Amino acid sequence: QVQLVESGGGLVQPGGSLRLSCAASGFIFKMSDMNWFRQAPGKERELVATITSTGGSTNYADSVKGRFTISRDNTKNMVYLQMNSLKPEDTAIYYCNKRGRWSGSDYWGQGTQVTVSS
């Protein structure tokens, strides 16, 4: 079965950095695009970043472009989200995601809390 386990969240001051990690198993990782989503209290879940299966292409939400970097290591079945210049509005639970074969069939990790506050 597909399993995604996030780690690396925590409390940081504005302007600080964190690196989130997602350990993947239960599928052919190197053949799957991967994503990071986030959800802040009272807000809709937001797609933050996407990386293609080989790592050759990435996409970012406008709100994080230039500050966040998604990467992957297909030899370790790991995907990462490097977050720099963090802002209070980045506060959210961050989820690792693999798209399913049809709408509503996505796979999700348990989430890791990121809090940006002074």
Side-chain angles (χ1 to χ4, degrees), residues 2-3 6 13 22 31 47 50 56 58 62 71 86 99-100:
V2 172
Q3 186 170 342
E6 303 96 333
Q13 295 190 106
C22 172
M31 295 185 67
L47 176 61
T50 295
T58 58
D62 287 343
S71 61
L86 283 161
R99 294 297 193 182

Side-chain angles (χ1 to χ4, degrees), residues 8-111:
L11 173 65
V12 295
Q13 295 190 106
S17 297
L18 283 174
R19 188 177 79 153
L20 307 184
S21 299
C22 172
S25 62
F27 63 101
I28 306 175
F29 180 77
K30 68 180 181 181
M31 295 185 67
S32 182
D33 294 358
M34 298 295 294
N35 311 284
W36 286 97
F37 283 78
R38 68 185 181 187
Q39 188 164 27
K43 295 187 177 181
E44 294 289 325
R45 186 172 56 204
E46 175 189 22
L47 176 61
V48 174
T50 295
I51 188 166
T52 54
S53 59
T54 65
S57 184
T58 58
N59 292 96
Y60 301 92
D62 287 343
S63 58
V64 307
K65 198 168 297 179
R67 300 186 298 120
F68 289 12
T69 303
I70 188 171
S71 61
R72 68 192 296 158
D73 185 343
N74 284 352
T75 71
K76 298 180 179 179
N77 285 12
M78 296 287 291
V79 60
Y80 307 97
L81 186 67
Q82 178 67 46
M83 306 185 295
N84 299 325
S85 301
L86 283 161
K87 305 174 180 180
E89 50 263 47
D90 296 317
T91 295
I93 302 174
Y94 284 72
Y95 297 93
C96 185
N97 164 272
K98 165 185 161 57
R99 294 297 193 182
R101 297 182 67 189
W102 56 87
S103 180
S105 68
D106 286 12
Y107 299 94
W108 302 91
Q110 83 286 352

